[in-house]
Amino acid sequence: MKDFHCCATCVHFTIIKEKRKSKRFCERLGYETDPKWKFNCWTPKEHVVTLMKKDQQENH
């Protein structure tokens, strides 16, 4: 199974655009994060859940 678990695929991950740069932010944790990081609080976005189910069906 592919590794879908990372901040960028979590429902709490958001990008805040400022004047000259963007901040990657976790709304749940309340601080900047990196799209590649992983935390135990991960809640996948709906399209990621669909991809994980599809991947699991293909591998069984």
Side-chain angles (χ1 to χ4, degrees):
M1 183 169 167
K2 296 176 186 163
D3 189 12
F4 292 99
H5 181 167
C6 64
C7 286
T9 61
C10 182
V11 296
H12 302 290
F13 181 79
T14 189
I15 298 175
I16 300 171
K17 294 184 180 183
E18 295 183 341
K19 292 180 183 179
R20 294 188 178 171
K21 70 175 196 172
S22 298
K23 288 185 179 179
R24 295 168 184 104
F25 192 79
C26 176
E27 293 177 331
R28 192 190 84 65
L29 296 175
Y31 56 81
E32 282 189 70
T33 186
D34 186 278
K36 296 180 263 182
W37 291 353
K38 298 178 183 183
F39 294 96
N40 290 334
C41 59
W42 181 67
T43 305
K45 294 177 181 178
E46 189 60 37
H47 74 277
V48 176
V49 172
T50 303
L51 289 172
M52 290 182 347
K53 287 178 182 177
K54 181 180 176 185
D55 187 59
Q56 189 175 27
Q57 289 173 350
E58 290 174 358
N59 290 326
H60 283 101

